[in-house]
Amino acid sequence: MTYTAMVVGGGIAGTTCAIALHEAGMEATVHEAYDRTADGAGVYLTLAVNALDALRAVDVDLHGLGFDTPRITMRSGSGRTLGELPYGTGLEAAGDGLTSRTVKRADLYRRLREEALRRGVRFEHGRRLVGASPSDDGVVASFADGTTAEGDLLIGADGLRSRTREIIAPDAPGARYNGLLNTGGYASGVPVDSEPGMMNAIFGRRCFFAFTPHPDGEVWWVANPPSPVEPTPAELAAISPEEWRRRLIDLFRDDKGSASDIIGATEKIFAGWNTYDVPSVPVWHSNRMIIIGDAAHATAPSIGQGAAMAIEDAVVLAKCLRDRPTVASAFVAYEGLRRERVERVVEQGRRTGGWKSLHPLAAVPRDLVMRLGMAHMARTGNDPSRWIYEHHIDWAERVPA
C-alpha cells in the first residue's frame, strides 16, 4: 500500500522514518517544532551494529562520520580493569562486517536530513503539534502556529515529551527520572592510556565516566553525576561550564585514571541534562496515529540503544505499511514485532544505569560482580546482550500476516 504520511518530529526517529517510508514508495512530510535544524547539537553517541544494520536496510551509509568503536574496556575507580569485550559486534559473526560507530549527533542529523532531502522528503519547521483528529480517510493535524495539515496517517516521532503520545494515550505514563545527570565534551592535547576507537567505561567511586579517543587525537567523553533529586531545567541551565568542571573534578578526586585530566583539558563542557526513560506505554496507536522512538519507549543512555531503537522502529514501521493491506493492520503488525524487544531494552537500560549511581560502599561488590561476569563472558563468548546487537532487519523480506 502507498500512503501520504505526516511525521511529527525531525530528529533521528522522524527523519529515518521519512527516509524508510520513501524507500517503501510512500510520501512523507516531516513537521518539526523548532524553527531551525539541529546542526548545532554538540553531544555525540555510539551507534551499535543493530542501528547500522537498520540504516543499511534503507541504503543509508554513515561513511566518513565519526570513527569505528569496536571494543569496550571497563575499569573501576581504583584503576583495576574489570574486563574488555567487543562493543556490540554480534552481526560480525554472520559475516556482515559491521562495527559500532561513534558520531557527533549534529553530524548524524545532517547526514540523515541530507539523505531525506535527496529523496524528496519535505521538511516544515516551526510546526509544533498541538492537536490531531481523524478525518473521513486520514488525520488532520493542527500546529501552534495556527496551520493545519492532513494525511493518510500521522507518525509521532516527537520524543520524550511527545504530544502525539498524549493525544493517543492521555493516561500513559510520562518520562521517568533515573537519578543521573549527563554532561561531557571534547578534550584536546591530553594523553590517554587507550588506543583510538576504544570505548573506556570507568565506574568511579562517586561518578561514572566514559571516554573514547578519536583517531585525530581528540578525546570524546561523557560523565553521569548522580543526583537523587531531579533538577529543574532552570537549575541545570544555571550551572556554568566552569562550575561543571569544578564539580566533576571533585567527584573524581579519589579515582585513578585520566578523568580529571580530560575534564581539565576540555575547553567547553556541555550544558547538563537529566536522564530519563519511559516505562511501558499501553497504547501505541489509534485512529491512524502511531508513536515511535522515544515517544513510545525512551531508554536510558546507559546501554547506547536509544537511537538504535528509534532507527529500528522507523524501518520496521515502513515495512509494515508497505506490506500490510490497511493502516490498522500495519500498526498491529508493527507493535507485534517491536513491543517485546523495546521494553526489554528499556528495562536493561534502567538496570545498567542503576549500577552507575551506587553508594561508594556498594561499588566494591559491584566491581567484583562485574569483573567475574566479564571474565566469564570473555572465556565462554556468552554475552547476554547479544540478542540486542544481533537483531537484523531484512528489507526484502515481507512482513507476515
Side-chain angles (χ1 to χ4, degrees):
M1 298 294 292
T2 60
Y3 304 105
T4 58
M6 297 178 290
V7 181
V8 178
I12 293 171
T15 306
T16 304
C17 189
I19 291 170
L21 289 169
H22 184 275
E23 191 75 6
M26 297 172 222
E27 178 184 338
T29 300
V30 177
H31 298 272
E32 168 56 45
Y34 293 102
D35 59 4
R36 62 191 183 280
T37 65
D39 290 353
V43 297
Y44 67 91
L45 70 160
T46 298
L47 293 171
V49 290
N50 54 301
L52 301 177
D53 174 76
L55 288 172
R56 190 166 65 176
V58 290
D59 293 326
V60 175
D61 182 10
L62 300 186
H63 180 74
L65 297 189
F67 52 94
D68 286 345
T69 311
R71 298 190 66 78
I72 181 169
T73 183
M74 297 186 184
R75 297 187 182 93
S76 66
S78 67
R80 183 169 190 171
T81 298
L82 303 174
E84 182 180 317
L85 290 170
Y87 191 7
T89 53
L91 284 170
E92 286 189 345
D96 290 329
L98 292 175
T99 303
S100 297
R101 194 162 187 83
T102 299
V103 300
K104 290 186 177 180
R105 190 174 290 267
D107 291 342
L108 178 59
Y109 284 150
R110 189 179 302 110
R111 177 66 61 84
L112 292 175
R113 179 182 169 84
E114 288 172 352
E115 186 63 30
L117 290 170
R118 186 183 69 79
R119 301 187 191 203
V121 173
R122 191 169 77 252
F123 286 78
E124 299 286 349
H125 287 273
R127 293 285 187 90
R128 183 175 297 278
L129 184 73
V130 293
S133 58
S135 62
D136 290 340
D137 54 1
V139 179
V140 176
S142 56
F143 302 96
D145 63 358
T147 61
T148 61
E150 187 168 1
D152 294 322
L153 64 146
L154 184 148
I155 300 167
D158 44 350
L160 195 68
R161 312 291 182 185
S162 172
R163 174 59 182 146
T164 314
R165 183 177 66 231
E166 293 176 348
I167 295 169
I168 292 174
D171 297 329
R176 178 173 60 179
Y177 176 60
N178 282 357
L180 292 171
L181 309 182
N182 296 268
T183 187
Y186 306 104
S188 299
V190 57
V192 294
D193 181 21
S194 173
E195 63 189 72
M198 173 71 79
M199 177 66 69
N200 296 266
I202 302 170
F203 289 82
R205 291 178 174 88
R206 295 192 295 157
C207 185
F208 176 82
F209 185 81
F211 72 91
T212 312
H214 191 287
D216 69 5
E218 190 174 52
V219 179
W220 299 11
W221 64 272
V222 65
N224 293 137
S227 178
V229 177
E230 178 184 358
T232 67
E235 288 170 337
L236 286 172
I239 303 174
S240 69
E242 286 308 309
E243 174 64 13
W244 274 119
R245 193 188 315 277
R246 186 195 65 76
R247 291 188 187 187
L248 292 170
I249 289 176
D250 180 65
L251 284 170
F252 294 115
R253 70 177 186 271
D254 296 325
D255 289 343
K256 293 183 179 179
S258 51
S260 294
D261 291 339
I262 293 170
I263 294 164
T266 303
E267 181 177 350
K268 182 179 179 181
I269 296 177
F270 301 150
W273 67 100
N274 294 330
T275 298
Y276 298 96
D277 64 11
V278 172
S280 180
V281 176
V283 179
W284 283 5
H285 54 88
S286 175
N287 294 321
R288 292 193 170 221
M289 295 179 282
I290 192 166
I291 49 176
I292 66 172
D294 282 358
H297 49 72
T299 181
S302 53
I303 57 171
Q305 282 292 313
M309 290 300 103
I311 291 167
E312 287 183 11
D313 281 358
V315 177
V316 173
L317 178 58
K319 282 190 61 178
C320 291
L321 288 165
R322 178 195 67 187
D323 295 346
R324 305 306 302 132
T326 66
V327 171
S329 65
F331 286 177
V332 170
Y334 165 80
E335 184 170 354
L337 290 169
R338 296 299 297 163
R339 182 178 282 278
E340 180 181 358
R341 174 170 170 78
V342 299
E343 291 186 353
R344 284 182 69 191
V345 169
V346 171
E347 181 55 32
Q348 182 151 329
R350 186 166 181 83
R351 288 198 305 268
T352 304
W355 283 47
K356 296 179 178 181
S357 56
L358 295 178
H359 186 276
L361 291 177
V364 175
R366 175 202 63 194
D367 294 347
L368 177 60
V369 169
M370 289 183 66
R371 182 165 56 83
L372 294 175
M374 293 190 70
H376 176 76
M377 284 188 281
R379 185 174 62 254
T380 63
N382 182 23
D383 182 353
S385 297
R386 287 182 70 89
W387 65 272
I388 298 178
Y389 305 116
E390 290 183 336
H391 186 75
H392 172 63
I393 298 175
D394 184 345
W395 182 255
E397 183 181 37
R398 306 294 292 183
V399 174

